[in-house]
Amino acid sequence: MGRLAGKKAFITGGAQGLGKCFAEMFAAEGAHVTITDVQADAVRQTAEEINGRYAGKAFAFTHDVTSRADWETALAGAADAMGGISVLVNNAGIGSFGSVESETFETYRKVMDIDLDAIFVGTQLAMPHLKDSQPASIINISSVAGLRADGNFLSYNVAKAGVCMISKSIALHCAKAGYQITCNSIHPVFTRTAIIEAMTMASGDREAGEAKLARQIPMKRIGEPEDIGHMAVYLASDEAKFVTGTELVADGGLTAR
Ligand SMILES: NC(=O)c1ccc[n+]([C@@H]2O[C@H](COP(=O)([O-])OP(=O)(O)OC[C@H]3O[C@@H](n4cnc5c(N)ncnc54)[C@H](O)[C@@H]3O)[C@@H](O)[C@H]2O)c1
């Protein structure tokens, strides 16, 4: 029996990167997983890969998290396929570089739509499913950028700080209502996925780019997806049933100073 046996997880942005890693680690611990993504072919292929190792565990839906209609379809399909939804991982996200002088309002709005507003819409729509499958958990992927600002990360800082606070509000609502539903945020530092390529590939040399990022981190390395995946497995499990409204930071010590 795995640590997540009987769990039914819905993971956004699951075609690649952290979402894919969460899905693989959840399935390895016995969960059923539904991964959704705006990349239709890639998300289906990822589910097939997972089913190659853990037969019948993974399902996939094309899903733009900024579309309410997509949320409704994907949540209903996932609940039908898995027999409910007991874990919601709001992971889909985009990055953006821009300061108060250089960021356009269009980009700012796009980052808010995908990284923050979608969590409100999606979690609200998922609540009936989570209430039907208690004990349940909501895991929102924020960032160290939700805890520390950078002059060139304006939109991302605002969205990810919002992810931190929406998680606490949801946690307190669920606690007050007497639901066995926890809600927490995870705050990774630079982790090896496509999202950091804009930084690591700026000079055309990935190794040099990653080394430059690693120098900013006390442990002198960037994160691996599994470093974050272990946190998500814990929060999805009943081991974390008394952990709610908190921030789990995986940053090699960055925010300790
Ligand atoms: N990798 C890091 O360094 C890092 C650090 C801190 C936080 N994060 C956060 O982790 C989460 C996952 O990012 P990642 O590192 O795996 O990057 P990634 O770019 O590899 O994955 C992001 C996924 O989200 C999907 N996506 C983007 N817009 C979408 C939309 N509108 N609807 C549905 N899916 C959409 C993409 O198609 C992609 O599959 C993001 O929220 C990101 O902000 C990542």
Side-chain angles (χ1 to χ4, degrees), residues 64-67 71 92-94 105-122 155 159:
D64 181 338
V65 293
T66 65
S67 160
W71 269 107
I94 57 167
F105 187 63
E106 288 69 30
T107 304
Y108 173 86
R109 275 292 355 136
K110 186 176 176 195
V111 175
M112 293 307 137
D113 281 349
I114 296 174
D115 288 6
L116 179 59
D117 296 359
I119 295 184
F120 166 59
V121 173
S155 305

Side-chain angles (χ1 to χ4, degrees), residues 12-20 22 36-39 63-66 90-95 114-115 141-145 156 160 186-196 199:
T12 67
Q16 63 183 46
L18 293 185
K20 177 180 180 179
F22 299 156
T36 75
D37 206 288
V38 74
Q39 300 184 68
H63 172 204
D64 181 338
V65 293
T66 65
N90 285 305
N91 165 74
I94 57 167
I114 296 174
D115 288 6
I141 309 305
S142 178
S143 166
V144 290
Y156 197 65
K160 292 300 189 181
I186 290 182
H187 300 255
V189 75
F190 311 118
T191 302
R192 191 174 282 118
T193 70
I195 211 171
I196 63 166
M199 289 179 278

